[in-house]
Structures are given as C-alpha cells and as structure tokens.
Amino acid sequence: QVQLMESGGGLVQPGGSLKLSCAASGSAVGGYNLGWYRQAPGKQREWVATITSRGRPNYADSVKGRFTISRDNADNTVYLQMNSLKPEDTAVYYCNANLFPSQFWGQGTQVTVSS
C-alpha cells in the first residue's frame, strides 16, 4: 500500500507559477513510478507527467516546456513545477503511484488559473 497526499494548489493568474507537492508513504515507494494527472470540470482525467523510479521524466504535449516533474527519493516526495500557467490548466491535480499491477491515487488538489 502507498498513501499519497498532495499540497500546493491554489488560485494563480495566467502566466503565473505554482509548485505542487505529493508526499508518498508506504512500502517500497522508491520503486514506484510517480506522476500527476488532472481532471477539469466535465472532462475525463488526463495524464500530465510521470517520473520513473530511476528519475526519467515524461510529459504530455500540452504541458511540455512549461511543467517540470521531479522527485526526492530521500523524502519520498514528487513535485510538479508549473510555469506559464494558462486558464486551460485549471483542474484538480491528482498524484499517482504505479508499479504494475498496483496503482494508487491521492485525493487531489485544486489549481485555478484565472485573472
């Protein structure tokens, strides 16, 4: 079992920045791929970024060049630095831990980009 707790969401103006954090606890967290998904109102949950257990990041095209995912294995924390935010980035952001066949989710944190 892995427990995930997100923090860092909030209201930001277009063009601004936010940094999300996700604290992971449980057994063998370091072996999991950690990632972020988001779900906007009325839309399906979509993948944003993943960082493998070895530290290799991957990004959705919609956030590439603006968002940066990182992880601190000493603290079992994954981060999402979000720059140049757009109104279309508004969503609930969920932390995800996966190692086939197991998958765990956090409760989510709201990010609102609005002037």
Side-chain angles (χ1 to χ4, degrees), residues 10-26:
L11 173 64
V12 63
Q13 292 187 341
S17 298
L18 275 178
K19 186 173 185 177
L20 305 182
S21 301
C22 174
S25 60

Side-chain angles (χ1 to χ4, degrees), residues 23-95:
S25 60
S27 59
V29 171
Y32 281 74
N33 299 318
L34 300 176
W36 292 93
Y37 288 69
R38 66 187 182 186
Q39 187 167 18
K43 295 187 176 181
Q44 290 187 331
R45 190 173 297 188
E46 65 174 0
W47 170 68
V48 175
T50 299
I51 187 164
T52 68
S53 60
R54 295 190 176 188
R56 187 182 72 176
N58 285 288
Y59 300 95
D61 287 344
S62 59
V63 306
K64 200 172 293 183
R66 300 188 298 122
F67 291 10
T68 302
I69 189 170
S70 60
R71 66 189 290 169
D72 183 338
N73 287 332
D75 289 339
N76 287 335
T77 303
V78 60
Y79 303 97
L80 186 68
Q81 176 67 47
M82 305 184 293
N83 298 328
S84 302
L85 282 161
K86 306 175 182 180
E88 52 262 45
D89 294 317
T90 295
V92 178
Y93 283 70
Y94 295 91
C95 184

